[in-house]
Amino acid sequence: MPRRRIRVTGAPEAPLRAALAALRAGLGVPGDFPPEVLAEAERAAKAPTPPPYDATDIPFFTLDPPASTDLDQATHLSRRGNGHRVRYAIADVAAFVAPGGALDAEAHRRVNTLYFPDEKVPLHPVVLSEGAASLLPDRTRPAVLWTIDLDGEGRTLAVDVRRALVRSRAKLDYAGVQRAIDSGTAEEPVALLREVGTARERLEVERGGISLNVPEQEITEHDHTYELGYRAPLPADGWNAQLSLLTGMAAAELMLAHGTGILRTLPAAPDGAVARLRRTATALHIDWPHHVSYAALIRTLDPHEPRHAAFLQECTTLLRGARYTPFRDGVLPAITTHSAVAAPYAHCTAPLRRLVDRHASEICLAAVAGQEPPDWVRAVLDALPRRMAEGAQLAGTVERECVDIVEAALLKDRVGDVFDGCVVDVEEHRPTVGTVQLESPAVVGRIEGERLPLGERLRVRLTRADPRTSKILFAPA
């Protein structure tokens, strides 16, 4: 999900807010929830379907960006012999959303939560997504509780999933958890995040999986002004991501064994894409011996080094082509794996923000119970991939366009100024067009010029910055 979350202050007619409002209108982004949806959400918030199992004695914690209130996951880690027990609670949206009701229909229309700088367009009404269904601290909530036992090397020994009441004890953020773990002050359930996370990272290496550590462009607000920066993920980000991957892999295995499910699949990259990546490595002066695999090379790169960061950004092109693959009645699809995960994988850990996850959880619950998935899940299974693809396309457009608008607004009075930057991409068939990443401010924009030295530092001049069209353009200085 997008990480660029800020608030835009000022009057609605302010140029930046006006540009964002125009973007929403132009993209056909859903507006307010219909009255019947809000009414159903209010009723559901007061009387969710109660789960049969009480796990409120387990001291869960959540780990999210500080401002997040739509909390999908809560975690508890403990030792189990020479291994570990991972308890991973996922918000039970199905406890609130009745199949075939107004809430369900609206969720199928929206598909994903969309994040804009000035507001969030949620998948579900706020009374649920940031209230009754969110795993907020010191609140008892219905959840889909995963219990995954790991051996000393982090390999899965046993998996259980059931509906349960849970109660988070603390809302933590990545920077605070990293400090506590590094200083040795973290309590054991949090401190074990490093042990479990690094064990799972070693297994990822072993199976040939890939986690791209690409610095992210972030927009932040300080004293009613906006700043752009680059954020390299902390180790704690990666450890926490491994728990989500672990759960998604366990879900996929349950589905495959049960014979019905919906996987997140990604075929192996075609030879042409890998060949292009090798040419990019050569242009960036990155040594990639033919006997070294793509996955092994990735782990040698430093995202703080501009040449490496440019190459890592190019590597994301190999992740295109991921899709949702449904199957039923024991007839398995031709492709069951996600090539970046290097294993079967399913999305099931973010149901407050992503439509498919609610359905995946129901299939897993049925698999453990030895039952068929509910009829309402089977009825929409084949239509979900198309809806999710449409939602992902819209979410990607929103994220790109929002950053472009904010960049253009920040730079609109600096046309003609010269900046230090690095060319991070050159179009294969148009070598005079590419992408430049500035050192400061942290802007990534289009550049046009006769000589674009990929991966090299150069001085660039801003030639256009128009918030109305959300476009910026640079040229070599």
Side-chain angles (χ1 to χ4, degrees), residues 36-56:
E36 64 272 17
V37 174
L38 292 174
E40 185 178 325
E42 290 284 354
R43 292 193 298 271
K46 297 173 182 176
T49 303
Y53 178 62
D54 189 332
T56 54

Side-chain angles (χ1 to χ4, degrees), residues 174-186 191 194 234-236 239:
Y174 293 104
V177 163
Q178 191 68 59
R179 285 193 301 269
I181 291 176
D182 290 345
S183 65
T185 60
R194 175 161 55 189
L234 296 168
W239 303 332

Side-chain angles (χ1 to χ4, degrees), residues 134-209:
S134 178
L135 303 183
L136 297 165
D138 300 319
R139 312 282 178 87
T140 299
R141 295 288 188 257
V144 176
L145 175 58
W146 290 80
T147 301
I148 305 175
D149 290 339
L150 307 177
D151 67 13
E153 295 182 330
R155 301 180 194 277
T156 300
L157 294 174
V159 174
D160 179 67
V161 58
R162 62 177 67 184
R163 285 196 152 90
L165 283 176
V166 301
R167 190 174 180 86
S168 172
R169 301 298 196 273
K171 180 178 181 293
L172 308 180
D173 63 82
Y174 293 104
V177 163
Q178 191 68 59
R179 285 193 301 269
I181 291 176
D182 290 345
S183 65
T185 60
E187 296 183 358
E188 183 173 85
V190 177
L192 290 177
L193 182 65
R194 175 161 55 189
E195 282 187 31
V196 175
T198 55
R200 294 299 301 178
E201 286 172 341
R202 286 192 293 270
L203 292 176
E204 182 178 70
V205 172
E206 180 183 291
R207 68 177 186 268

